[in-house]
Structure formats: structure tokens, C-alpha cells
Amino acid sequence: MATKTGSSGVVKIAVADGSVAVVGEVRTFSIETSADTIEDSVMGDTARTYLSGLESSTVSIECYWDDADAQQLVLDGRADIDFEIYPTGTGAGEKYYSGGGIVTSKSINASFDGMVEASFSVQVSGAVTEATA
């Protein structure tokens, strides 16, 4: 199995005309998916048993803040967005993840001896889909 670096990763956000555009200055991103479990144990069982429940996902994006980047400006709280995330680049045969969700947080941080940085969190609504470019 081959390992890959994230240096070619790309995050895209849908724009008003329906096309997708790259979010600039991205430093890191993550997609986290979890699933609920539903206990179905009954009297007489000697161990708890569970069924799988609903799945939920969140997306986090961290960037150097660029107030001229239209995609960063779209990522305001309560914004309803569509996204595509390419962990290893957008070349042919590369896997990517897509979905839609609501921006739940936006944070811009600065220090006197560092870069201005921005963090965004998205609560995914529905499933995250895996595909190949």
C-alpha cells in the first residue's frame, strides 16, 4: 500500500453559479465521520448488543486568512455550502470527498509575530460521498 503526503490537497466550495472554486491558502483540513449505536439488549442477554445508527460528519478547514479570497468569504456562520475535498490533489484517478453542510463556526486569529489564520467548521447534512477524479 502506498502512502501519500497532503501537500497537494485541495478544498473546493461551490460558488453562486454552481461551479466549484478552490479555497485559497489552505493549511490543513479534516473530515470526521462517526456513527451512532443503538442498544438492542434484552433481559436474558449476558452481554450488551448494538445496531448501527445514523452517521454524522464534520469538516474542518484551517487557512492563512485572505480577505480577497472569495471562497474564504463564503464560509460565514450559517452559510449553506457544497464542498469537494481532494486529500492528494485533483489529478486523474485521485480520490475526493464531497457533500453539503452548514458552516457552524468561523474563527480568525492573529498574533504580533505570526500569520493571520482562519478556521472553519462545517456540519455535514447528509452523507459524505467518496469518488474518483
Side-chain angles (χ1 to χ4, degrees):
M1 178 157 86
T3 58
K4 298 188 177 199
T5 66
S7 62
S8 298
V10 173
V11 176
K12 295 182 178 183
I13 302 293
V15 294
D17 68 2
S19 64
V20 291
V22 174
V23 177
E25 308 296 335
V26 173
R27 303 259 308 136
T28 64
F29 56 80
S30 66
I31 304 170
E32 182 177 337
T33 300
S34 61
D36 296 335
T37 55
I38 303 166
E39 184 176 352
D40 69 341
S41 306
V42 296
M43 289 183 192
D45 287 351
T46 58
R48 294 185 185 275
T49 57
Y50 298 88
L51 298 173
S52 62
L54 297 175
E55 183 177 87
S56 63
S57 301
T58 57
V59 172
S60 299
I61 305 165
E62 296 185 14
C63 310
Y64 287 137
W65 176 242
D66 180 354
D67 62 359
D69 183 74
Q71 276 46 60
Q72 285 190 28
L73 298 177
V74 166
L75 295 170
D76 278 331
R78 297 178 26 172
D80 190 356
I81 64 158
D82 292 325
F83 62 86
E84 294 178 0
I85 297 178
Y86 298 77
T88 56
T90 59
E94 298 289 350
K95 288 201 182 294
Y96 71 96
Y97 302 87
S98 62
I102 299 167
V103 177
T104 56
S105 71
K106 172 183 178 178
S107 174
I108 299 173
N109 302 295
S111 65
F112 79 96
D113 61 348
M115 301 294 290
V116 178
E117 299 178 2
S119 299
F120 308 96
S121 294
V122 178
Q123 176 63 58
V124 176
S125 182
V128 174
T129 303
E130 181 182 297
T132 304

